[in-house]
Amino acid sequence: MTGETSQDGALQRDLAFRYRLYCPADSTGECFFLLHGSGVDETTLVPLAREIAPRAMLIAVRGRIVQEDGFRWFSRITPTRFEQHSIRTETDAFAGFVTDAATRHHLDLSRTNFLGYSNGANLVSSLMLLHPGLVERAALLRPMPVLDDVPAADLSKARVLIIAGAADLTYAPFAPALVTLLSKHGAEIDARIVPWGHEFGSADAAIVRQWLSGSAAVAQAG
C-alpha cells in the first residue's frame, strides 16, 4: 500500500466517485467494490462485506444521484423503470472510476469482486453489459435488468451470483429475466432464492462466501 491510501475508512474525493477504502493490516490482496442500494450511502454494505471476507480490501463507493436523504446510482422513473441516459452516463463514469481506482491503489482486477445490492446491483449488471471484461466476479443481491437496449457483449469470463428474495414482491419477479440476459451473453450464473424480502442479512453473506470459495476453486483448476 502507498501513502496515498487511507486505511481507516475516511471519505476519499480524489476520483470521479466518492469512496471509502478499508484495508486490513493482514489483507489477503482480495478486493471488493461495494455498491449500495437506493437512499443510503457507501457505508451500508461494509458490515456485510466484512462478514463475507474479513481480510479483504473494501472500496465502498457512493452513488452520485441524490435521492431524498441518500444516494443512488442512476435516476428512476418508477420503482421498476429507469432513465436510460442516466444509466449509461453513470455506468460509463463508474467504469472509468474502477480503472482509475485500480491504478491508484494497485489493485489486481482479476482478484476483484463486485458486491452490489438493489440499485447498486443493477449498476453492476449494466457495467458488465456496457463494459464487458471489466467485471469477472459479481454478487448481485435483489437485482433486476434495467437496460432497454442491450448491446452485444461477451461475458464468457464472468461469474455471477444472483440472490433474489422470495417475498420481494416488487423486484424478485424480474430476477429470472436478468439470469436469462446474462446467461445469453455467456456469463456463468448461480441463481439463488432466499425466503425473505428485499432486505439482506447473514444468510446472504453465507451464500456469497460459499460461492466465492467455489469460484476460487474453479479459477485455480483453470
Side-chain angles (χ1 to χ4, degrees):
M1 302 301 296
T2 72
E4 295 176 313
T5 62
S6 166
Q7 298 184 16
D8 62 0
L11 187 64
Q12 305 290 302
R13 297 177 171 86
D14 55 332
L15 299 176
F17 288 76
R18 295 184 177 185
Y19 66 101
R20 299 178 191 272
L21 183 70
Y22 302 84
C23 185
D26 59 347
S27 174
T28 59
E30 186 180 22
C31 177
F32 284 75
F33 280 89
L34 308 182
L35 290 85
H36 60 79
S38 298
V40 290
D41 69 17
E42 68 281 358
T43 63
T44 56
L45 283 180
V46 172
L48 182 71
R50 277 281 164 260
E51 198 172 344
I52 293 167
R55 297 172 59 198
M57 177 191 293
L58 307 180
I59 299 180
V61 194
R62 177 184 296 181
R64 303 195 299 187
I65 305 300
V66 177
Q67 178 196 23
E68 298 169 357
D69 59 349
F71 304 91
R72 58 180 291 114
W73 295 95
F74 45 82
S75 302
R76 69 181 175 192
I77 300 167
T78 72
T80 58
R81 288 287 299 164
F82 308 94
E83 210 289 307
Q84 296 296 302
H85 178 73
S86 179
I87 295 172
R88 289 174 178 270
T89 297
E90 292 305 297
T91 300
D92 289 348
F94 191 78
F97 169 83
V98 169
T99 56
D100 289 345
T103 299
R104 176 66 55 89
H105 300 297
H106 311 292
L107 307 178
D108 180 356
L109 289 180
S110 71
R111 298 189 66 195
T112 297
N113 308 292
F114 290 77
L115 175 63
Y117 166 65
S118 191
N119 186 238
N122 300 340
L123 191 284
V124 176
S125 68
S126 299
L127 182 66
M128 296 176 66
L129 291 163
L130 296 175
H131 295 269
L134 191 59
V135 176
E136 293 190 14
R137 284 187 305 280
L140 309 180
L141 312 184
R142 319 300 185 265
M144 64 171 289
V146 295
L147 287 169
D148 289 347
D149 297 308
V150 179
D154 179 5
L155 302 183
S156 58
K157 293 184 178 180
R159 294 188 177 96
V160 185
L161 171 66
I162 293 176
I163 308 179
D168 186 2
L169 301 182
T170 300
Y171 296 103
F174 293 95
L178 183 62
V179 171
T180 299
L181 175 64
L182 297 179
S183 296
K184 184 175 72 173
H185 286 81
E188 178 184 308
I189 307 295
D190 187 339
R192 309 286 188 94
I193 299 175
V194 290
W196 45 84
H198 202 63
E199 69 280 4
F200 61 82
S202 291
D204 293 284
I207 292 170
V208 176
R209 193 164 54 243
Q210 176 196 48
W211 174 75
L212 285 172
S213 295
S215 294
V218 169
Q220 290 173 0

